Amino acid sequence: MHFDSLRVSREWWYFTAVFNGSSNNLGEWAAAIAFAHLAPGDLLGTAKPDLLVVSLLDSSGAQYGGMVNKRHYLGILKSGTLVASTPGVKLSYDSSWVEGTAPSWHVHAEDAEIDTAHTVVIDLDYHAQALPLWTLGTKAFELSNSTLASYVFLDCEISGTVSIDGVVHQVSGVGTYEHTWSPRAVTRAEINGWDWFSIKLDNGWMVYASNYLPTPQALTEKISALPSFGTIVITTDHGETCTELKNLNVKVTTQDEKVFPLVKMPSAFDLDASPSLNPTYLVSQSLLLGTDLSLTANGSVVNSVDKIWNFPTYVGMKLGYVDISGELSWSDATGEHAVPFSGIGVSWSMRALL
């Protein structure tokens, strides 16, 4: 836990799942569960910075859950707020909670008033098969003490149950667990949106991507803006080894209707990535240079739950079930190679007006 520090203003714990295991009653469904303490200005005017996400989706349009945000009581712990403590991960928000220490965690999520039409209870055991990958951080050897950092456990083994309106389904599959925190200095003036992906491919690989949009890029495609920055990671062995490409371009090809003036939520993407020549990443990307390594893919959000905060907040979030296909290509001493792929997973997009 970090948001108890005066230097840290927001913190996320985010779990995704793709139910593609052999012991499955919900084959090819996906789930996302997130606990977040946001900075006061992130949801401007609401005074409710604690966010809970409980979402269950499939490719045919079935969906349960969504998002809710409530007040955080400083110094007075009351029901309905995010409570976090140590050691390891120990979270609670209403009746939802997470407990565990790497490499294993148990996630219990209830949709409660998020989805009044259905009762959903998710119980999942996560087991990481490898060490986490640090995707953000300002300190080389003490990343957990940094005020800006993020790590992700890729391709965790998952098993448990999902209860929908009293009917219990046994599920298994794979997913990710990500933990991110950032300082008060990072505001909506610097990061005005993001696109985030966790994809399980049919060939057994996993692809993770995060892309951040500086102002005013998220406002409209007609404005020439600062370039986005992000990373895409491919693992072929459950996170034991990872290939990270820092030169990532996410192009939104289809957008939904406007959620408020000048802002639309994305529903289809083209992704391309390659090693970066940026001096900041040159050392970590050096082994990839000269391989002509590149990833190209296109994905569509075929089902989603959306949350819109209107005046005075003007923030929209879209959490979706994603279909993706593409190709990874490279060259080496044995010649040129190209591996086509396809898969399913979870996306999460945020856009802000200001």
Side-chain angles (χ1 to χ4, degrees), residues 92-126:
S92 66
Y93 191 123
D94 287 343
S95 299
S96 299
W97 52 270
V98 181
E99 285 193 18
T101 301
S104 298
W105 307 266
H106 184 84
V107 180
H108 175 88
E110 300 183 18
D111 69 344
E113 76 266 36
I114 296 176
D115 183 354
T116 57
H118 301 278
T119 301
V120 173
V121 180
I122 301 174
D123 275 287
L124 298 176
D125 287 307
Y126 279 70

Side-chain angles (χ1 to χ4, degrees), residues 12-30:
W12 299 76
W13 294 263
Y14 188 33
F15 298 83
T16 68
V18 172
F19 301 132
N20 64 345
S22 56
S23 57
N24 247 336
N25 296 130
L26 294 177
E28 305 300 303
W29 284 57

Side-chain angles (χ1 to χ4, degrees), residues 72 74 137:
H72 182 74
L74 293 175

Side-chain angles (χ1 to χ4, degrees), residues 263-275:
V263 179
K264 295 181 179 181
M265 297 303 293
S267 56
F269 303 84
D270 284 342
L271 292 85
D272 61 77
S274 58

Side-chain angles (χ1 to χ4, degrees), residues 193-211:
W194 74 72
D195 298 308
W196 186 100
F197 306 89
S198 174
I199 309 291
K200 184 62 177 180
L201 302 184
D202 295 339
N203 61 9
W205 299 1
M206 175 165 274
V207 173
Y208 161 91
S210 58
N211 191 52

